[in-house]
Amino acid sequence: MTAKLLGRLLQLPTAASALLAPAKILPAAYTAVGSLHPDQHGRISFRRHFFDLHKMVDKEAIKREKDRLKDELSRGYFADFSEIHKNSGKIAPANKTLIASMAAAMFPDIVVYFSDGRRLKLPLSDQNVNNHSTEIIPSATLLCLSFRASSQRMAESWSAPFLETLDASTNVQVYEVSFIESWLLSLNPMKNLFLKIARSSSYPLRRIAYSFGDHYDLRKELQILNLLTGYIFLLDRHGRIRWQGFGFATTEEVSSLLSCATLLLEE
Ligand SMILES: *[C@@H]1O[C@H](CO)[C@@H](O)[C@H](O)[C@H]1NC(C)=O
Ligand SMILES: CC(=O)N[C@H]1CO[C@H](CO)[C@@H](O)[C@@H]1O
């Protein structure tokens, strides 16, 4: 298992997989899959595809799969790529004002993992957190979603000024979530191995987390079509989306994020 292969599985650009390379833990990947003969890898993926086809005998599933394929193909990865660079990943400008609570949509539940193996269901809202739990429900949560390594830097352009301005408040939380859609990395022991070498944060308020598996339904609900850019959401304590931004933050957008977050703290 080379860093390059791991990078390809993660659909990371080469520069990012080069970052994975120095990880001393990588040789452990050999032991994790060490019992497999190289030929067996092919056989396993064949078997898996066979089971996937088998599942699709169900008519309903076939229809869903067809609709999905149409959706996925209409995304036009290649046209998007140059576009993203030209406009800093802006699908639309960020909201200038807080979205009214009555008009706000709920953020769908996602399960995330931290590099220490901890698991958490987001958003931390009064709907999700047990009433007897000691978990503090933040008044404002900044959730930055990345589907590719290239958009992790976009997330940081929002989370860094957010934490610099608001970190004194225990009422705000920041999660930078990377989505790992590779089925191989979503299974143990690959998942645990991935978490061990995954990027974590030395700054406890900047929570870097990973979500594994298929996220088609989540993306559909949040209208996330282009996976090359970053999606930034500001949620209130009920888990509603009160503000949204895309790509790299501009100075004006950061100030609208900060003023909206300040309003949420007073709500
Ligand atoms: C907030 O931004 C989203 C995404 O660009 C947009 O669809 C929505 O209309 C905006 N809402 C307000 C109140 O600005
Ligand atoms: C997770 C949970 O049980 N939340 C409940 C806490 O209490 C409020 C109000 O009593 C309920 O609305 C939540 O569903």
Side-chain angles (χ1 to χ4, degrees):
M1 174 69 58
T2 62
K4 207 164 133 208
L5 177 57
L6 191 58
R8 202 162 346 125
L9 290 168
L10 284 166
Q11 295 158 301
L12 303 178
T14 10
S17 47
L19 283 179
L20 284 168
K24 296 248 171 4
I25 299 160
L26 266 178
Y30 270 118
T31 23
V33 289
S35 54
L36 294 178
H37 186 270
D39 291 348
Q40 277 176 291
H41 290 289
R43 222 174 298 153
I44 285 171
S45 77
F46 168 77
R47 218 181 293 158
R48 178 172 164 101
H49 280 121
F50 175 79
F51 282 125
D52 283 348
L53 281 177
H54 197 70
K55 261 192 305 201
M56 282 175 29
V57 172
D58 178 4
K59 274 215 178 91
E60 188 70 9
I62 292 178
K63 162 126 185 39
R64 261 201 316 274
E65 227 27 54
K66 272 192 178 154
D67 289 348
R68 172 177 180 155
L69 201 60
K70 210 158 67 187
D71 265 11
E72 301 275 25
L73 289 176
S74 64
R75 281 194 306 211
Y77 276 119
F78 301 107
D80 295 335
F81 202 76
S82 56
E83 219 173 280
I84 291 294
H85 281 283
K86 263 182 256 157
N87 67 6
S88 307
K90 297 288 172 212
I91 300 239
N95 291 129
K96 288 198 169 58
T97 54
L98 206 57
I99 296 169
S101 59
M102 299 292 281
M106 293 296 288
F107 191 91
D109 292 348
I110 47 171
V111 173
V112 302
Y113 292 84
F114 297 91
S115 61
D116 62 4
R118 224 158 26 93
R119 178 186 186 277
L120 183 69
K121 187 164 160 194
L122 290 177
L124 283 181
S125 64
D126 44 11
Q127 260 91 72
N128 271 349
V129 173
N130 190 298
N131 286 330
H132 308 293
S133 153
T134 51
E135 198 87 63
I136 297 165
I137 301 170
S139 298
T141 302
L142 185 71
L143 253 182
C144 308
L145 312 185
S146 317
F147 293 85
R148 296 288 183 272
S150 53
S151 43
Q152 286 172 351
R153 272 182 46 236
M154 296 177 179
E156 212 178 326
S157 73
W158 302 92
S159 65
F162 187 86
L163 283 172
E164 260 163 41
T165 317
L166 297 165
D167 77 343
S169 168
T170 52
N171 252 338
V172 300
Q173 290 191 0
V174 171
Y175 295 91
E176 290 179 36
V177 181
S178 295
F179 290 88
I180 310 299
E181 298 209 301
S182 152
W183 64 264
L184 179 58
L185 288 180
S186 302
L187 299 176
N188 275 327
M190 289 305 281
K191 183 166 94 182
N192 289 339
L193 184 71
F194 172 81
L195 285 171
K196 275 198 196 117
I197 62 167
R199 205 171 58 119
S200 61
S201 166
S202 51
Y203 184 45
L205 291 171
R206 184 175 165 217
R207 298 168 174 90
I208 294 182
Y210 298 87
S211 184
F212 294 90
D214 187 276
H215 300 97
Y216 178 70
D217 293 331
L218 173 100
R219 279 168 20 213
K220 192 141 185 118
E221 199 165 338
L222 294 173
Q223 295 173 26
I224 291 176
L225 289 174
N226 190 309
L227 301 188
L228 297 170
T229 193
Y231 294 81
I232 323 296
F233 297 93
L234 182 68
L235 312 183
D236 64 15
R237 60 178 290 111
H238 305 293
R240 292 175 299 207
I241 301 169
R242 303 297 297 278
W243 174 99
Q244 191 182 357
F246 306 89
F248 280 107
T250 67
T251 319
E252 301 91 88
E253 286 177 322
V254 165
S255 60
S256 67
L257 167 64
L258 295 177
S259 70
C260 288
T262 310
L263 283 175
L264 279 188
L265 294 181
E266 288 161 5
E267 231 179 36

